[in-house]
Amino acid sequence: MVEDGWAASHEPLRLRAETLDAVVRDWYEDLQSPVQPLSGQLNRRLAEYALDRTTAETDGALAGEPASAALADSFSSRFSLFDDAGVGTADALVAEFEGSDLDDRIAKATVDAYRYYRDLHGDYVDEWVCTRGEMFDAVATAEQSLSEFSPELDVVILSGYHEFRPVERRLIERLVDELPMIALLPLHQDGRSGVDAVAEDALEIYEALDFETVELEPVDESGRVFGTITESLYRPDPDTVPTPDTLRWRELPTPEREIRFVARELRTELANGRDPDDLAVVVPGTEAYSGYVEDTFDTFDIPHVTTAASQLNRTFTGSVVHDLLNLAEPDPRAEDLTSLLANPLVNVVDTDQVNAVTAAARRRDTVSVSLLLDDVDDQAAALIEELLATLETLRTEDIEDATETFRRLLNDRFDLEAATEDYASGAEQAVEQRAYDLVDEVLSSFESLAAVNSDLSPLALFTRAFDGVPIRVPQRAAGGHIEVMGLLDARMRSFEKVFLVGLTSEHFPVTPERPAFFEEMTDAHPRFDTGDERLRGRYLFATLLANVDELTITTPETGDDESAVVRSPALDELQRVTGIEPEDGVDDRVGSREDLQRHVAATADRRAAVSRAGDRGDISPEQTKRTDRGLHCADNRGTAGLSEHDGVLEPETVDEVYPPSEREPYSASRIERYVECGFKFYADEVLGIDDPDDVEVVPTPLETGSYVHDVLERFFADLQDETEDAVDLTNFDRDDLATHLREIAVDELRDADFEYDGLFYERWKAELFAGLGDGVSAPYEAGSKPHDAPEQGLFATFLDNELSRDGAGRPHLFEAPFGEGLPDSDAGPFTVERPDGSTVSIRGYIDRIDVGRDGEQPTLTLYDYKTGRAPYMTKTTGGTKFQLPIYLLAAAEVVDGDLFEQGSLSATYYQVRPPNDLKVPRGVESKFDSEVELRRFLNDVVPEWLGQIDEAIGNGRFHTTLLSARGANCRYCDYSRACDVRHHRKREFVDEVHQDDAAYVPLRVRDDEDIEAVMSGRSAND
Ligand code: SF4
């Protein structure tokens, strides 16, 4: 602020803006020799080692306490306070505590720790490393005159201090003695009470030093208006001050909406030509809000830089360190490896390998790294193993070697410094680079103290050292950017317009938690106090108010988790003085493309609205075109008729993209899929759009189905090899059959080579195998919690079901193929012929055919195994399911001689649904009054329907489903957002499609058909 003011009216070069610490260091170096300031990390290490010794070697208040990171943090900042108070030795501290009210045990433990700390400092820290207190003290007590150090100085202006530590105070006293000095101190009241209470200390010092007081009045109207407010805050019975127009308070439903509101306001300001440098966003709860700010400001295209404190392990650099330390633990966890490999700063294996590891970790549901190594290629596995072996030394070597190893890893293997330099740009890059410097500082501190003995392993020392390291990115020149900052950074800055976000009691003022240990010390020795955050908060709030032309305060009604929030006491005080009330309600102005889309969605003529937005340049020409097409498509899909957007193709196009040679022979399931939904069929079969593979922890329904089919087929087929005829299970002993079934199932499981493990897979296996044999060789871990195995699994239940079945049929054929082109069969083509003579070619396998020859008329019973729920037979007669009739028709070609012609036909589903849900419903024949009707259905109706389906496909009828949303499984369909399958609309759609001669409309959805009539052949050609 001083610098800006000066630059506006004076020669810039004649003013040098420096921190007091930098000036003191310069002078100290002139006085002594070049020094290195004691780094925060080295200070923290000294405190850690000192505490380790105190807890191990003394029997005071700290004995036996593990020296956690938090404790070390508290002590290291307390030791800095001692240093700033000029208490440089343990004996000086003893003298300080003498005769005080402080509990002896606390005094003794602190002195013990401080003694170790000073000893360590003396023994291991290089002599050119200097503490802040030492430097300030040396300069303040130098024999030389200070003006000799900087002869060019005419005057010193001291700004930004409202409290002083003892060493700072001594230095100021000395400075005043020797140099002309001006001190700036914002005061709002009398400098001693109300909001100024915290500045009392500074004012007293200045008065004691005989500074001449010059009161500066606000230079403009806004300063005067806000000045009236700050004058009245925290005073008993203030005069009510009217709320000026320049002060607003906006309440929004959630923190996220708050940020969106601010973003829209900023957009308006920028659009009105306000310079971004004149705007600022002050967020006291920077950590809680930082995610929203980054996301939302990016979405709203707001140029901004953030200056806010965070934690090292919230950066990518910090995560690398964090993950590596976790991987150094015995039996490292998979999630740490996947997190490490997914880190954008890490590039040690290629993307495919990273994806393979991540997918394997999810699929295997495993916690251990070692199991993952099978899933990556040899090179990557070797690399990971080598990394883990290297990291192991962090547990086994001494601290010197461990630090060297860790450094080597970060530098050579991960090339972390270069990675942070290449990462992103601007503020994000600055954060990562600062994080890298901090990591380097931590490692350097261990190198400096390598000779200190410790009982802890290097890994434990590193883990503690990297825990909770705060990171602050130095304020950068923000030219052309709106600054987002914490409240402390806003002090002594002035802006035209500021948004103060999240003024809740949770975020402002925040009183840091201190161990009770130090509370008592502060009570007894105010010299060692860090000050009252409440008073400091009031002062900062008032100072911010006084430094802006316009202020908008925002608060959320609820927190992130819908919890109620309490307004900051500072806001209550502002309300008491000004009577300000929040403006509330939803903010629905358009500030981003997303907002625009929401608005367009609500208009009656969306295409016109999009076109207008395009003309105005709110969206680009490409976006306008794309959105217009999308709206046109949505319009078409929203109406009942068939259009180019409803999956209707020209026959010529179908010939090109899905010619008969590609689609025939059909399989029964492909036909059923088409009938279920033409559009989904089109996307899957014609366009070949694959669903993204879901990550599964157990075999998919498809895999389970195929495995169970294989087991059941082989179970009978192998028995048949022995008997060479239809299989009669009653000829076998149950135990032998169970053993036989188990052996086959285990064998097939091995062949299936499923890549699953973990509890859910164990349960999957248990649901199949339970009760099948002695349990000794069961391929699952019986009773593993939390999923106990059922007593009888699928296979055992199947066996019992088969043994208990009566009836004449005996299993005779298994997985019998029909039609041409199947991999394990050389059967010729199989076609069904429509009444008009055209044919449809089909192929497939019949799961099982049982034959009974005991009665007068032979029986032929077909089964189709279903590991899910068996469909209702009405779906077959309703023209949406075709497996059973197709298999019945194909059976004529599969079974010997005149069995088909002579036999009594039956076909049904055999539901084998894990864990033990077995059902064999009455077959399709039960839907007909006589064998004659069944055969008519098979010979006339079914071929006609199949022909219609083939024709519909050939004519490009790929519209959305005619069934109910449930019947088509729309809920699980990726296209559901683009379909309108609501019931009332469905009726209209079916009617429309029914008008179209080329479409196939299943009997089940037609109102105008009498099913009895169709089945009895009176209307089969309809
Ligand atoms: S949501 Fe339903 S109607 Fe739409 S494509 Fe999917 S299955 Fe078909």
Side-chain angles (χ1 to χ4, degrees), residues 331-409:
D331 197 10
R333 291 178 314 164
E335 62 176 306
D336 294 311
L337 180 64
T338 50
S339 155
L340 179 72
L341 296 182
N343 192 308
L345 299 180
V346 172
N347 186 18
V348 287
V349 293
D350 66 36
T351 318
D352 286 349
Q353 293 304 315
V354 175
N355 293 342
V357 173
T358 314
R362 288 208 198 121
R363 188 173 59 238
R364 285 178 167 262
D365 189 27
T366 179
V367 289
S368 165
V369 165
S370 47
L371 290 172
L372 289 188
L373 297 181
D374 305 341
D375 289 287
V376 291
D377 72 18
D378 292 350
Q379 205 189 346
L383 209 135
I384 294 167
E385 272 169 357
E386 185 207 312
L387 173 68
L388 296 180
T390 312
L391 285 169
E392 210 180 303
T393 57
L394 300 192
R395 279 183 284 127
T396 52
E397 305 277 331
D398 62 25
I399 185 73
E400 191 170 2
D401 292 341
T403 313
E404 196 193 321
T405 305
F406 202 55
R407 237 190 217 294
R408 222 171 338 107
L409 258 186

Side-chain angles (χ1 to χ4, degrees), residues 788-859:
D788 284 333
E791 250 173 57
Q792 284 274 97
L794 184 76
F795 292 139
T797 316
F798 175 79
L799 184 57
D800 289 342
N801 194 52
E802 285 296 312
L803 284 169
S804 66
R805 291 184 66 188
D806 36 85
R810 300 261 177 270
H812 179 66
L813 286 171
F814 316 100
E815 297 271 315
F818 64 91
E820 66 182 339
L822 292 169
D824 46 2
S825 137
D826 50 10
F830 168 74
T831 54
V832 292
E833 189 179 322
R834 279 173 90 174
D836 68 2
S838 60
T839 57
V840 181
S841 161
I842 306 179
R843 70 179 172 201
Y845 297 92
I846 306 171
D847 284 348
R848 169 172 160 187
I849 303 176
D850 286 13
V851 175
R853 297 180 192 272
D854 296 348
E856 244 171 61
Q857 189 189 12
T859 60

Side-chain angles (χ1 to χ4, degrees), residues 488-501:
L488 198 61
D489 286 314
R491 113 204 104 126
M492 307 306 282
R493 306 278 310 272
S494 72
F495 297 95
E496 285 182 11
K497 182 157 189 173
V498 166
F499 294 87
L500 180 56
V501 175

Side-chain angles (χ1 to χ4, degrees), residues 883-943:
Q883 272 179 317
L884 300 180
I886 286 177
Y887 295 162
L888 272 174
L889 286 168
E893 312 230 335
V894 169
V895 295
D896 297 334
D898 51 10
L899 196 53
F900 180 79
E901 297 304 330
Q902 309 277 314
S904 145
L905 302 183
S906 157
T908 188
Y909 297 109
Y910 196 141
Q911 178 173 302
V912 277
R913 191 164 162 252
N916 43 30
D917 184 8
L918 261 68
K919 209 180 328 171
V920 184
R922 295 203 305 147
V924 65
E925 69 286 353
S926 67
K927 294 286 154 199
F928 298 90
D929 290 340
S930 66
E931 180 95 16
V932 177
E933 279 195 10
L934 170 65
R935 287 188 185 253
R936 187 183 310 120
F937 174 68
L938 294 177
N939 294 330
D940 296 346
V941 179
V942 171

Side-chain angles (χ1 to χ4, degrees), residues 704-837:
T704 306
S706 152
Y707 167 67
V708 170
H709 272 73
D710 289 349
V711 172
L712 300 187
E713 181 208 345
R714 260 192 65 196
F715 170 69
F716 286 115
D718 286 6
L719 292 176
Q720 196 174 37
D721 283 350
E722 290 169 32
T723 61
E724 292 182 355
D725 199 0
V727 181
D728 185 356
L729 292 185
T730 52
N731 292 339
F732 297 88
D733 173 62
R734 189 205 180 271
D735 288 349
D736 291 346
L737 286 173
T739 310
H740 171 65
L741 183 53
R742 189 178 64 233
E743 281 170 3
I744 285 170
V746 169
D747 206 37
E748 289 292 329
L749 192 62
R750 204 174 305 123
D751 275 4
D753 200 16
F754 289 143
E755 290 193 351
Y756 303 96
D757 57 22
L759 276 182
F760 290 99
Y761 184 50
E762 289 307 315
R763 180 173 74 161
W764 180 88
K765 286 187 287 184
E767 286 184 353
L768 297 175
F769 282 87
L772 196 64
D774 49 15
V776 177
S777 55
Y780 64 91
E781 289 170 29
S784 59
K785 296 280 176 191
H787 307 299
D788 284 333
E791 250 173 57
Q792 284 274 97
L794 184 76
F795 292 139
T797 316
F798 175 79
L799 184 57
D800 289 342
N801 194 52
E802 285 296 312
L803 284 169
S804 66
R805 291 184 66 188
D806 36 85
R810 300 261 177 270
H812 179 66
L813 286 171
F814 316 100
E815 297 271 315
F818 64 91
E820 66 182 339
L822 292 169
D824 46 2
S825 137
D826 50 10
F830 168 74
T831 54
V832 292
E833 189 179 322
R834 279 173 90 174
D836 68 2

Side-chain angles (χ1 to χ4, degrees), residues 16-89:
R16 205 175 83 207
E18 294 269 20
T19 62
L20 191 58
D21 283 41
V23 174
V24 168
R25 182 177 168 185
D26 274 355
W27 288 347
Y28 182 84
E29 290 189 343
D30 280 353
L31 193 64
Q32 308 274 348
S33 55
V35 283
Q36 201 181 327
L38 177 70
S39 76
Q41 285 305 319
L42 186 53
N43 189 37
R44 162 95 181 252
R45 271 333 58 76
L46 291 169
E48 285 165 2
Y49 284 129
L51 279 174
D52 285 343
R53 289 195 179 172
T54 318
T55 56
E57 294 172 18
T58 65
D59 53 5
L62 293 172
E65 278 264 323
S68 65
L71 192 71
D73 215 35
S74 298
F75 268 92
S76 76
S77 44
R78 188 63 41 165
F79 292 165
S80 298
L81 276 180
F82 295 161
D83 184 54
D84 278 347
V87 178
T89 63

Side-chain angles (χ1 to χ4, degrees), residues 632-641 646 978 980 982 985 988:
H632 183 39
C633 170
D635 270 353
N636 272 341
R637 286 189 75 108
T639 47
D646 291 293
D980 186 350
R982 288 169 302 167
R985 194 241 169 205
E988 254 178 80

